[in-house]
Amino acid sequence: MKVTHVSDLKTDELCKELSQRMSRSKAMKIIEVCAEIFGIHPSQILAYDRQLAPVQARSLAMALVAEHHTLAETARIFQRHNHTTVIAAKQRADRFTRNDEAFREKAMFVIRKLK
């Protein structure tokens, strides 16, 4: 539903609309912090760029956003077709965390900055 004016909403609808806006802003904060730590522009996280830095940043951002949203919602936030992309990104982030010390350090910086 597209909200044009707050007075058009009932209380429960208003609460739902506010929570959606707040959760989207939290997702944008995660994207911005990941982009900053990985040294890229936030738009590269939402793009289909296959270079290493955007792939790592996108994987971490999707994994972190998926902690607060369903897989389908996370896919919509990242403008992807469906939830399977998010599952693959989470698996990729896990693999990077296990095998790449530099990625692990950057992920820790992101998590600390978001707290």
Side-chain angles (χ1 to χ4, degrees):
M1 158 174 57
K2 183 73 174 167
V3 177
T4 56
H5 197 272
V6 175
S7 63
D8 296 339
L9 296 174
K10 297 176 187 167
T11 304
D12 57 337
E13 292 171 333
L14 178 62
C15 291
K16 183 178 178 183
E17 177 69 20
L18 289 174
S19 72
Q20 285 177 344
R21 288 182 185 184
M22 288 173 60
S23 64
R24 289 235 180 220
S25 68
K26 184 170 182 116
M28 287 310 300
K29 176 71 174 166
I30 290 170
I31 291 169
E32 289 169 1
V33 170
C34 285
E36 177 187 337
I37 298 299
F38 282 85
I40 62 173
H41 191 271
S43 64
Q44 288 178 279
I45 290 179
L46 298 176
Y48 289 90
D49 194 338
R50 297 299 303 156
Q51 295 175 8
L52 184 60
V55 167
Q56 288 182 331
R58 184 180 315 115
S59 298
L60 180 60
M62 279 189 183
L64 293 173
V65 169
E67 291 179 6
H68 305 283
H69 296 277
T70 65
L71 296 175
E73 289 170 336
T74 302
R76 278 192 295 277
I77 289 169
F78 284 86
Q79 303 166 0
R80 296 311 196 258
H81 294 289
N82 59 44
H83 69 285
T84 59
T85 306
V86 180
I87 294 169
K90 289 174 67 173
Q91 291 171 345
R92 193 176 308 111
D94 288 343
R95 196 170 46 253
F96 283 136
T97 301
R98 283 192 311 272
N99 301 327
D100 187 343
E101 181 66 32
F103 177 86
R104 194 169 30 253
E105 288 177 18
K106 288 177 182 177
M108 293 306 297
F109 282 131
V110 168
I111 292 167
R112 275 189 232 125
K113 192 159 187 167
L114 289 172
K115 286 187 178 183

